[in-house]
Amino acid sequence: MVKLAPEKLESSQRYVCAQCKVDIALESALLSKDLLGKTGEAYMFSEVVNVEYGPSCERILVTGTYEVRDCCCAYCQQVLGWNYLKASKPSQKFKEGKVVLELAY
């Protein structure tokens, strides 16, 4: 499979893959800095680019049970975080469709 050129984000304020430096998200898509992932600090974004998603699975997290799928860099395959698909608690529905990126990656 031939990879297309990575999507370039037109901003100096963006987040990139720590391994290959490809653009992942704009600062303007940042929704929250108050999350913890497996490796520590994590941020929630409304939109990301240059990522691929794994299969969905049910995961029990601190705030409840969710249907999620892991995401990785589309160019170097570095795991980046996860995407919320469905929340079981009504109070957590705002996370659906959002992507969490762990800062360690």
Side-chain angles (χ1 to χ4, degrees), residues 32-44 61-63 82 84 95 100-103:
S32 177
K33 292 183 175 183
D34 296 328
L35 288 98
L36 286 175
K38 296 176 203 171
T39 61
E41 198 173 0
Y43 292 176
M44 182 184 291
L61 301 173
V62 173
T63 56
W82 67 92
Y84 287 105
K95 294 179 180 177
V100 175
L101 301 177
E102 297 194 46
L103 294 190

Side-chain angles (χ1 to χ4, degrees), residues 6-100:
E7 184 174 339
K8 299 272 187 194
L9 298 175
E10 300 298 324
S11 173
S12 61
Q13 296 180 328
R14 62 189 187 275
Y15 291 86
V16 300
C17 173
Q19 185 166 313
C20 72
K21 307 302 184 214
V22 72
D23 293 347
I24 300 295
L26 289 172
E27 177 78 22
S28 61
L30 178 63
L31 299 173
S32 177
K33 292 183 175 183
D34 296 328
L35 288 98
L36 286 175
K38 296 176 203 171
T39 61
E41 198 173 0
Y43 292 176
M44 182 184 291
F45 292 87
S46 59
E47 185 178 357
V48 295
V49 297
N50 300 319
V51 298
E52 293 178 346
Y53 297 99
S56 65
C57 65
E58 188 174 278
R59 195 171 292 163
I60 299 171
L61 301 173
V62 173
T63 56
T65 302
Y66 300 88
E67 182 180 345
V68 299
R69 57 186 178 171
D70 289 333
C71 63
C72 67
C73 176
Y75 295 88
C76 70
Q77 302 305 304
Q78 172 66 48
V79 174
L80 299 172
W82 67 92
N83 171 226
Y84 287 105
L85 298 175
K86 188 173 182 181
S88 61
K89 292 182 181 178
S91 65
Q92 299 299 308
K93 294 283 187 191
F94 72 95
K95 294 179 180 177
E96 292 178 355
K98 308 303 187 290
V99 176
V100 175

